[in-house]
Amino acid sequence: MVIAAIILVAGGAGTALAMRSRQSEESVEAPPPRQVTTTIVKLSAISQAIVAQGYVESREVLPVFTQVGGEVVYSRDNLRPGTRVSRGDLLVSIDSSDVRSDVELAETELLRGLAGLLASLDTQDPMAIRPKWAAFHARLIAGTVPELPATESERERLVLSTYGVVESYLALERSGRTLSHHNVVAPFDGVILEGAVPEGVVVTPGQQIVTIIDPVNLEISVSVTQDELAYLQRSAGTEIAIRPTDRSEPTLTGTLDRTGGFTDRKTQTVSLYVRFENREEHLGFLPGTFAEVELAGDPIPAALLVPRGVINEDGTINTLDAGHLTKRSVDIRGYRGDRVIVTGAGLRDGMELVTTTIQIPIEGMRLTTESGVVGN
């Protein structure tokens, strides 16, 4: 009897504990649904816009050096930076008094030699060479230095050397070439970037006196990633917009000119060079200014533009389906500022994209929006 009583007491205690456990489980409530914000998905063709910045540079920059030394007797506007010049304009003239004397002496010697040659040919001209040398003499008298007529025989060369014609001509050519070096002219239409050479200063041979740039034909270099470069290279045509960073000037258009030859090891980027024209010479695009470039290639079909924060670490996005979280895999195709272009087989129009950042998204977790709980 005592044993039976003990068994009954123990059984009753176990039953009571089991009932208490079930009551405790029933009293624990499920966690409340997480409140989130959503947006309705609308897929479309999206172009990947690559935005980068860089310095504007002229496509034609030329430092100009002197070939002779001496005192500057003429300087166009003292070669002040910003001075506009046209091709062939005289920039600087260097004193050439001594060289002019050499030119005059060489010319006198040549005329004297030609006069003696023509006089001898008046009496005897078995080679019939007088007409061509008379024509050469006439052009020289008229103020031009023509090319030396070709000699056709050794006998003719011997006659010319007797009167020193060839030697005098070569001396005139040398001195005339040196004289031309005293005048420095603009090699192309442009603007003086660096200079300032006033009249009266003395320059030396090989001295840089000015730098001229073309202010119309410009280029800008920007850095892009290898993925961005591959996207642009796959595109049939790349539209490029160039604008000042402060948006103070109209947007100009350009073309992709070339790419850098190597990848930067630290940044893993490649340099792109975009060429464009600033025909109106807007101040916001002058060489040396900072500008923004936007490059857009072929559109990506059935794509979605989402904030960077909605991409989970595992490369998925969160959607709201019947009140529960569903993770969907996506492919990142490019970037637009702080937003990401994604595509994916599981994306479709009308689904609800969760735009609230969830630190640990769990498949099937209950969600709610401001309108209330959608699922159970």
Side-chain angles (χ1 to χ4, degrees), residues 1-45:
M1 293 295 292
V2 173
I3 293 173
I6 292 173
I7 291 173
L8 288 172
V9 171
T15 301
L17 287 172
M19 291 178 64
R20 255 191 233 105
S21 177
R22 282 196 298 272
Q23 290 173 355
S24 176
E25 289 178 358
E26 290 175 357
S27 65
V28 175
E29 298 181 359
R34 170 74 182 271
Q35 184 167 343
V36 296
T37 57
T38 62
T39 186
I40 302 301
V41 169
K42 176 63 178 176
L43 301 179
S44 62

mmCIF file of all heavy atoms in Angstrom, residues 1-45:
data_model
loop_
_atom_site.group_PDB
_atom_site.id
_atom_site.type_symbol
_atom_site.label_atom_id
_atom_site.label_comp_id
_atom_site.label_asym_id
_atom_site.label_seq_id
_atom_site.Cartn_x
_atom_site.Cartn_y
_atom_site.Cartn_z
ATOM 1 N N MET A 1 0.819 -1.208 0.000
ATOM 2 C CA MET A 1 0.000 0.000 0.000
ATOM 3 C C MET A 1 0.856 1.261 0.000
ATOM 4 O O MET A 1 0.551 2.234 -0.671
ATOM 5 C CB MET A 1 -0.923 -0.003 1.247
ATOM 6 C CG MET A 1 -1.987 -1.080 1.226
ATOM 7 S SD MET A 1 -3.165 -0.853 -0.098
ATOM 8 C CE MET A 1 -3.952 0.603 0.490
ATOM 9 N N VAL A 2 1.909 1.200 0.789
ATOM 10 C CA VAL A 2 2.811 2.375 0.846
ATOM 11 C C VAL A 2 3.442 2.620 -0.497
ATOM 12 O O VAL A 2 3.538 3.745 -0.995
ATOM 13 C CB VAL A 2 3.904 2.161 1.922
ATOM 14 C CG1 VAL A 2 4.922 3.277 1.878
ATOM 15 C CG2 VAL A 2 3.277 2.062 3.285
ATOM 16 N N ILE A 3 3.860 1.509 -1.155
ATOM 17 C CA ILE A 3 4.494 1.634 -2.486
ATOM 18 C C ILE A 3 3.511 2.190 -3.486
ATOM 19 O O ILE A 3 3.822 3.067 -4.299
ATOM 20 C CB ILE A 3 5.021 0.265 -2.938
ATOM 21 C CG1 ILE A 3 6.172 -0.177 -2.026
ATOM 22 C CG2 ILE A 3 5.500 0.330 -4.383
ATOM 23 C CD1 ILE A 3 6.640 -1.607 -2.294
ATOM 24 N N ALA A 4 2.299 1.729 -3.462
ATOM 25 C CA ALA A 4 1.277 2.237 -4.398
ATOM 26 C C ALA A 4 1.020 3.702 -4.201
ATOM 27 O O ALA A 4 0.842 4.481 -5.159
ATOM 28 C CB ALA A 4 -0.026 1.435 -4.195
ATOM 29 N N ALA A 5 1.039 4.127 -2.959
ATOM 30 C CA ALA A 5 0.825 5.560 -2.680
ATOM 31 C C ALA A 5 1.935 6.405 -3.225
ATOM 32 O O ALA A 5 1.719 7.487 -3.776
ATOM 33 C CB ALA A 5 0.670 5.757 -1.160
ATOM 34 N N ILE A 6 3.151 5.866 -3.087
ATOM 35 C CA ILE A 6 4.306 6.637 -3.612
ATOM 36 C C ILE A 6 4.208 6.773 -5.108
ATOM 37 O O ILE A 6 4.451 7.825 -5.682
ATOM 38 C CB ILE A 6 5.611 5.942 -3.211
ATOM 39 C CG1 ILE A 6 5.801 6.032 -1.685
ATOM 40 C CG2 ILE A 6 6.791 6.547 -3.930
ATOM 41 C CD1 ILE A 6 6.971 5.231 -1.162
ATOM 42 N N ILE A 7 3.819 5.662 -5.762
ATOM 43 C CA ILE A 7 3.700 5.688 -7.230
ATOM 44 C C ILE A 7 2.640 6.682 -7.656
ATOM 45 O O ILE A 7 2.807 7.463 -8.610
ATOM 46 C CB ILE A 7 3.386 4.282 -7.759
ATOM 47 C CG1 ILE A 7 4.597 3.375 -7.568
ATOM 48 C CG2 ILE A 7 2.997 4.337 -9.232
ATOM 49 C CD1 ILE A 7 4.323 1.905 -7.902
ATOM 50 N N LEU A 8 1.555 6.712 -6.923
ATOM 51 C CA LEU A 8 0.473 7.648 -7.269
ATOM 52 C C LEU A 8 0.915 9.091 -7.113
ATOM 53 O O LEU A 8 0.629 9.956 -7.939
ATOM 54 C CB LEU A 8 -0.758 7.379 -6.395
ATOM 55 C CG LEU A 8 -1.545 6.102 -6.714
ATOM 56 C CD1 LEU A 8 -2.624 5.850 -5.650
ATOM 57 C CD2 LEU A 8 -2.186 6.225 -8.091
ATOM 58 N N VAL A 9 1.640 9.345 -6.013
ATOM 59 C CA VAL A 9 2.134 10.714 -5.779
ATOM 60 C C VAL A 9 3.096 11.139 -6.875
ATOM 61 O O VAL A 9 3.034 12.243 -7.418
ATOM 62 C CB VAL A 9 2.807 10.817 -4.392
ATOM 63 C CG1 VAL A 9 3.502 12.161 -4.252
ATOM 64 C CG2 VAL A 9 1.788 10.616 -3.306
ATOM 65 N N ALA A 10 4.025 10.221 -7.234
ATOM 66 C CA ALA A 10 5.015 10.549 -8.283
ATOM 67 C C ALA A 10 4.327 10.780 -9.610
ATOM 68 O O ALA A 10 4.665 11.690 -10.380
ATOM 69 C CB ALA A 10 6.048 9.414 -8.399
ATOM 70 N N GLY A 11 3.332 9.927 -9.895
ATOM 71 C CA GLY A 11 2.619 10.102 -11.174
ATOM 72 C C GLY A 11 1.896 11.408 -11.230
ATOM 73 O O GLY A 11 1.862 12.102 -12.234
ATOM 74 N N GLY A 12 1.299 11.796 -10.097
ATOM 75 C CA GLY A 12 0.591 13.075 -10.080
ATOM 76 C C GLY A 12 1.526 14.240 -10.247
ATOM 77 O O GLY A 12 1.211 15.213 -10.937
ATOM 78 N N ALA A 13 2.696 14.121 -9.631
ATOM 79 C CA ALA A 13 3.682 15.219 -9.779
ATOM 80 C C ALA A 13 4.140 15.338 -11.211
ATOM 81 O O ALA A 13 4.284 16.439 -11.744
ATOM 82 C CB ALA A 13 4.867 14.962 -8.835
ATOM 83 N N GLY A 14 4.389 14.206 -11.881
ATOM 84 C CA GLY A 14 4.838 14.266 -13.282
ATOM 85 C C GLY A 14 3.796 14.862 -14.176
ATOM 86 O O GLY A 14 4.076 15.645 -15.088
ATOM 87 N N THR A 15 2.537 14.462 -13.901
ATOM 88 C CA THR A 15 1.452 15.022 -14.720
ATOM 89 C C THR A 15 1.358 16.524 -14.550
ATOM 90 O O THR A 15 1.160 17.286 -15.513
ATOM 91 C CB THR A 15 0.130 14.373 -14.326
ATOM 92 O OG1 THR A 15 0.228 12.963 -14.523
ATOM 93 C CG2 THR A 15 -1.026 14.927 -15.161
ATOM 94 N N ALA A 16 1.537 16.970 -13.292
ATOM 95 C CA ALA A 16 1.478 18.422 -13.025
ATOM 96 C C ALA A 16 2.586 19.166 -13.728
ATOM 97 O O ALA A 16 2.383 20.252 -14.292
ATOM 98 C CB ALA A 16 1.534 18.667 -11.520
ATOM 99 N N LEU A 17 3.815 18.584 -13.731
ATOM 100 C CA LEU A 17 4.938 19.236 -14.414
ATOM 101 C C LEU A 17 4.709 19.328 -15.914
ATOM 102 O O LEU A 17 5.009 20.332 -16.551
ATOM 103 C CB LEU A 17 6.223 18.463 -14.128
ATOM 104 C CG LEU A 17 6.790 18.602 -12.701
ATOM 105 C CD1 LEU A 17 7.945 17.618 -12.500
ATOM 106 C CD2 LEU A 17 7.238 20.025 -12.449
ATOM 107 N N ALA A 18 4.187 18.263 -16.476
ATOM 108 C CA ALA A 18 3.932 18.270 -17.920
ATOM 109 C C ALA A 18 2.899 19.314 -18.286
ATOM 110 O O ALA A 18 3.011 20.011 -19.288
ATOM 111 C CB ALA A 18 3.467 16.875 -18.370
ATOM 112 N N MET A 19 1.866 19.432 -17.456
ATOM 113 C CA MET A 19 0.829 20.427 -17.740
ATOM 114 C C MET A 19 1.380 21.829 -17.631
ATOM 115 O O MET A 19 1.070 22.706 -18.431
ATOM 116 C CB MET A 19 -0.342 20.244 -16.756
ATOM 117 C CG MET A 19 -1.117 18.951 -16.988
ATOM 118 S SD MET A 19 -2.447 18.726 -15.784
ATOM 119 C CE MET A 19 -3.488 20.110 -16.185
ATOM 120 N N ARG A 20 2.258 22.006 -16.590
ATOM 121 C CA ARG A 20 2.868 23.340 -16.428
ATOM 122 C C ARG A 20 3.723 23.701 -17.633
ATOM 123 O O ARG A 20 3.762 24.838 -18.086
ATOM 124 C CB ARG A 20 3.707 23.345 -15.145
ATOM 125 C CG ARG A 20 3.053 24.083 -14.011
ATOM 126 C CD ARG A 20 3.981 24.307 -12.860
ATOM 127 N NE ARG A 20 3.363 23.822 -11.643
ATOM 128 C CZ ARG A 20 3.670 22.714 -11.017
ATOM 129 N NH1 ARG A 20 4.638 21.963 -11.494
ATOM 130 N NH2 ARG A 20 3.053 22.354 -9.940
ATOM 131 N N SER A 21 4.492 22.715 -18.173
ATOM 132 C CA SER A 21 5.367 22.956 -19.326
ATOM 133 C C SER A 21 4.561 23.355 -20.549
ATOM 134 O O SER A 21 4.915 24.266 -21.284
ATOM 135 C CB SER A 21 6.203 21.701 -19.607
ATOM 136 O OG SER A 21 6.985 21.890 -20.732
ATOM 137 N N ARG A 22 3.437 22.634 -20.766
ATOM 138 C CA ARG A 22 2.601 22.965 -21.924
ATOM 139 C C ARG A 22 1.997 24.348 -21.789
ATOM 140 O O ARG A 22 1.906 25.122 -22.732
ATOM 141 C CB ARG A 22 1.502 21.911 -22.083
ATOM 142 C CG ARG A 22 1.987 20.599 -22.712
ATOM 143 C CD ARG A 22 0.804 19.762 -23.194
ATOM 144 N NE ARG A 22 -0.064 19.383 -22.094
ATOM 145 C CZ ARG A 22 0.104 18.277 -21.349
ATOM 146 N NH1 ARG A 22 1.112 17.481 -21.595
ATOM 147 N NH2 ARG A 22 -0.758 17.997 -20.376
ATOM 148 N N GLN A 23 1.590 24.683 -20.531
ATOM 149 C CA GLN A 23 1.020 26.008 -20.313
ATOM 150 C C GLN A 23 2.062 27.098 -20.549
ATOM 151 O O GLN A 23 1.773 28.168 -21.100
ATOM 152 C CB GLN A 23 0.480 26.111 -18.886
ATOM 153 C CG GLN A 23 -0.779 25.267 -18.664
ATOM 154 C CD GLN A 23 -1.200 25.249 -17.213
ATOM 155 O OE1 GLN A 23 -0.504 25.799 -16.349
ATOM 156 N NE2 GLN A 23 -2.351 24.619 -16.934
ATOM 157 N N SER A 24 3.336 26.786 -20.142
ATOM 158 C CA SER A 24 4.419 27.772 -20.346
ATOM 159 C C SER A 24 4.665 27.993 -21.826
ATOM 160 O O SER A 24 4.855 29.115 -22.281
ATOM 161 C CB SER A 24 5.693 27.292 -19.640
ATOM 162 O OG SER A 24 6.759 28.183 -19.891
ATOM 163 N N GLU A 25 4.692 26.918 -22.638
ATOM 164 C CA GLU A 25 4.921 27.046 -24.077
ATOM 165 C C GLU A 25 3.816 27.847 -24.746
ATOM 166 O O GLU A 25 4.040 28.645 -25.645
ATOM 167 C CB GLU A 25 5.019 25.662 -24.699
ATOM 168 C CG GLU A 25 6.312 24.924 -24.326
ATOM 169 C CD GLU A 25 6.337 23.528 -24.938
ATOM 170 O OE1 GLU A 25 5.338 23.161 -25.598
ATOM 171 O OE2 GLU A 25 7.334 22.818 -24.753
ATOM 172 N N GLU A 26 2.595 27.581 -24.277
ATOM 173 C CA GLU A 26 1.475 28.295 -24.889
ATOM 174 C C GLU A 26 1.494 29.770 -24.548
ATOM 175 O O GLU A 26 0.988 30.609 -25.299
ATOM 176 C CB GLU A 26 0.170 27.660 -24.421
ATOM 177 C CG GLU A 26 -0.046 26.260 -25.008
ATOM 178 C CD GLU A 26 -1.288 25.608 -24.433
ATOM 179 O OE1 GLU A 26 -1.905 26.262 -23.551
ATOM 180 O OE2 GLU A 26 -1.642 24.498 -24.854
ATOM 181 N N SER A 27 2.097 30.086 -23.356
ATOM 182 C CA SER A 27 2.113 31.494 -22.942
ATOM 183 C C SER A 27 3.163 32.321 -23.679
ATOM 184 O O SER A 27 3.103 33.539 -23.675
ATOM 185 C CB SER A 27 2.355 31.584 -21.422
ATOM 186 O OG SER A 27 3.650 31.102 -21.107
ATOM 187 N N VAL A 28 4.223 31.675 -24.356
ATOM 188 C CA VAL A 28 5.255 32.404 -25.105
ATOM 189 C C VAL A 28 4.678 32.849 -26.443
ATOM 190 O O VAL A 28 4.293 32.012 -27.271
ATOM 191 C CB VAL A 28 6.509 31.523 -25.321
ATOM 192 C CG1 VAL A 28 7.504 32.266 -26.192
ATOM 193 C CG2 VAL A 28 7.123 31.169 -23.991
ATOM 194 N N GLU A 29 4.643 34.134 -26.704
ATOM 195 C CA GLU A 29 4.080 34.663 -27.943
ATOM 196 C C GLU A 29 5.130 34.700 -29.052
ATOM 197 O O GLU A 29 6.324 34.868 -28.787
ATOM 198 C CB GLU A 29 3.534 36.064 -27.703
ATOM 199 C CG GLU A 29 2.402 36.124 -26.699
ATOM 200 C CD GLU A 29 1.891 37.537 -26.538
ATOM 201 O OE1 GLU A 29 2.453 38.438 -27.205
ATOM 202 O OE2 GLU A 29 0.945 37.748 -25.759
ATOM 203 N N ALA A 30 4.710 34.527 -30.285
ATOM 204 C CA ALA A 30 5.619 34.643 -31.431
ATOM 205 C C ALA A 30 6.113 36.087 -31.534
ATOM 206 O O ALA A 30 5.377 37.017 -31.189
ATOM 207 C CB ALA A 30 4.881 34.239 -32.709
ATOM 208 N N PRO A 31 7.410 36.293 -32.030
ATOM 209 C CA PRO A 31 7.944 37.655 -32.141
ATOM 210 C C PRO A 31 7.100 38.487 -33.100
ATOM 211 O O PRO A 31 6.558 37.969 -34.086
ATOM 212 C CB PRO A 31 9.355 37.436 -32.685
ATOM 213 C CG PRO A 31 9.322 36.106 -33.337
ATOM 214 C CD PRO A 31 8.362 35.278 -32.533
ATOM 215 N N PRO A 32 6.967 39.765 -32.832
ATOM 216 C CA PRO A 32 6.150 40.614 -33.718
ATOM 217 C C PRO A 32 6.810 40.743 -35.088
ATOM 218 O O PRO A 32 8.025 40.639 -35.218
ATOM 219 C CB PRO A 32 6.126 41.954 -32.993
ATOM 220 C CG PRO A 32 7.375 41.966 -32.178
ATOM 221 C CD PRO A 32 7.593 40.544 -31.749
ATOM 222 N N PRO A 33 6.054 40.961 -36.126
ATOM 223 C CA PRO A 33 6.641 41.120 -37.462
ATOM 224 C C PRO A 33 7.487 42.397 -37.547
ATOM 225 O O PRO A 33 7.200 43.395 -36.891
ATOM 226 C CB PRO A 33 5.431 41.205 -38.388
ATOM 227 C CG PRO A 33 4.312 41.664 -37.504
ATOM 228 C CD PRO A 33 4.577 41.086 -36.150
ATOM 229 N N ARG A 34 8.531 42.341 -38.364
ATOM 230 C CA ARG A 34 9.424 43.491 -38.554
ATOM 231 C C ARG A 34 8.761 44.467 -39.518
ATOM 232 O O ARG A 34 8.316 44.098 -40.607
ATOM 233 C CB ARG A 34 10.765 43.014 -39.142
ATOM 234 C CG ARG A 34 11.693 44.105 -39.619
ATOM 235 C CD ARG A 34 12.325 44.841 -38.456
ATOM 236 N NE ARG A 34 13.171 45.918 -38.961
ATOM 237 C CZ ARG A 34 14.468 45.755 -39.271
ATOM 238 N NH1 ARG A 34 15.044 44.572 -39.156
ATOM 239 N NH2 ARG A 34 15.174 46.788 -39.689
ATOM 240 N N GLN A 35 8.689 45.741 -39.090
ATOM 241 C CA GLN A 35 8.083 46.742 -39.964
ATOM 242 C C GLN A 35 9.124 47.249 -40.969
ATOM 243 O O GLN A 35 10.239 47.603 -40.599
ATOM 244 C CB GLN A 35 7.530 47.917 -39.158
ATOM 245 C CG GLN A 35 6.803 48.938 -40.022
ATOM 246 C CD GLN A 35 5.989 49.931 -39.206
ATOM 247 O OE1 GLN A 35 5.705 49.691 -38.037
ATOM 248 N NE2 GLN A 35 5.617 51.026 -39.820
ATOM 249 N N VAL A 36 8.752 47.241 -42.222
ATOM 250 C CA VAL A 36 9.670 47.641 -43.291
ATOM 251 C C VAL A 36 8.946 48.560 -44.268
ATOM 252 O O VAL A 36 7.725 48.674 -44.253
ATOM 253 C CB VAL A 36 10.212 46.407 -44.044
ATOM 254 C CG1 VAL A 36 11.059 45.517 -43.134
ATOM 255 C CG2 VAL A 36 9.071 45.618 -44.681
ATOM 256 N N THR A 37 9.761 49.184 -45.125
ATOM 257 C CA THR A 37 9.205 49.952 -46.248
ATOM 258 C C THR A 37 9.490 49.191 -47.534
ATOM 259 O O THR A 37 10.493 48.480 -47.649
ATOM 260 C CB THR A 37 9.824 51.357 -46.336
ATOM 261 O OG1 THR A 37 11.244 51.234 -46.462
ATOM 262 C CG2 THR A 37 9.507 52.173 -45.106
ATOM 263 N N THR A 38 8.602 49.317 -48.484
ATOM 264 C CA THR A 38 8.763 48.597 -49.753
ATOM 265 C C THR A 38 8.476 49.524 -50.923
ATOM 266 O O THR A 38 7.914 50.608 -50.754
ATOM 267 C CB THR A 38 7.797 47.393 -49.825
ATOM 268 O OG1 THR A 38 6.455 47.875 -49.776
ATOM 269 C CG2 THR A 38 8.060 46.414 -48.696
ATOM 270 N N THR A 39 8.867 49.067 -52.090
ATOM 271 C CA THR A 39 8.550 49.778 -53.325
ATOM 272 C C THR A 39 8.200 48.738 -54.377
ATOM 273 O O THR A 39 8.685 47.589 -54.324
ATOM 274 C CB THR A 39 9.727 50.644 -53.796
ATOM 275 O OG1 THR A 39 9.332 51.419 -54.920
ATOM 276 C CG2 THR A 39 10.933 49.803 -54.186
ATOM 277 N N ILE A 40 7.355 49.111 -55.308
ATOM 278 C CA ILE A 40 6.918 48.177 -56.345
ATOM 279 C C ILE A 40 7.971 48.103 -57.451
ATOM 280 O O ILE A 40 8.444 49.124 -57.950
ATOM 281 C CB ILE A 40 5.560 48.602 -56.936
ATOM 282 C CG1 ILE A 40 4.514 48.674 -55.822
ATOM 283 C CG2 ILE A 40 5.118 47.622 -58.017
ATOM 284 C CD1 ILE A 40 4.300 47.381 -55.085
ATOM 285 N N VAL A 41 8.338 46.897 -57.831
ATOM 286 C CA VAL A 41 9.369 46.684 -58.851
ATOM 287 C C VAL A 41 8.797 46.972 -60.243
ATOM 288 O O VAL A 41 7.693 46.507 -60.583
ATOM 289 C CB VAL A 41 9.898 45.236 -58.790
ATOM 290 C CG1 VAL A 41 10.769 44.921 -60.008
ATOM 291 C CG2 VAL A 41 10.676 45.030 -57.501
ATOM 292 N N LYS A 42 9.554 47.735 -61.022
ATOM 293 C CA LYS A 42 9.220 47.989 -62.414
ATOM 294 C C LYS A 42 10.509 47.833 -63.228
ATOM 295 O O LYS A 42 11.399 48.680 -63.185
ATOM 296 C CB LYS A 42 8.637 49.395 -62.591
ATOM 297 C CG LYS A 42 8.352 49.777 -64.038
ATOM 298 C CD LYS A 42 7.306 48.877 -64.666
ATOM 299 C CE LYS A 42 6.983 49.308 -66.098
ATOM 300 N NZ LYS A 42 6.027 48.379 -66.753
ATOM 301 N N LEU A 43 10.634 46.731 -63.958
ATOM 302 C CA LEU A 43 11.847 46.463 -64.734
ATOM 303 C C LEU A 43 11.854 47.308 -66.010
ATOM 304 O O LEU A 43 10.804 47.577 -66.600
ATOM 305 C CB LEU A 43 11.919 44.980 -65.100
ATOM 306 C CG LEU A 43 11.916 43.991 -63.923
ATOM 307 C CD1 LEU A 43 11.964 42.559 -64.439
ATOM 308 C CD2 LEU A 43 13.086 44.268 -62.993
ATOM 309 N N SER A 44 13.048 47.710 -66.418
ATOM 310 C CA SER A 44 13.186 48.522 -67.635
ATOM 311 C C SER A 44 14.608 48.394 -68.162
ATOM 312 O O SER A 44 15.485 47.806 -67.517
ATOM 313 C CB SER A 44 12.857 49.992 -67.341
ATOM 314 O OG SER A 44 13.770 50.511 -66.383
ATOM 315 N N ALA A 45 14.834 48.932 -69.361
ATOM 316 C CA ALA A 45 16.185 48.966 -69.936
ATOM 317 C C ALA A 45 16.934 50.154 -69.319
ATOM 318 O O ALA A 45 16.478 51.289 -69.399
ATOM 319 C CB ALA A 45 16.109 49.097 -71.451
#
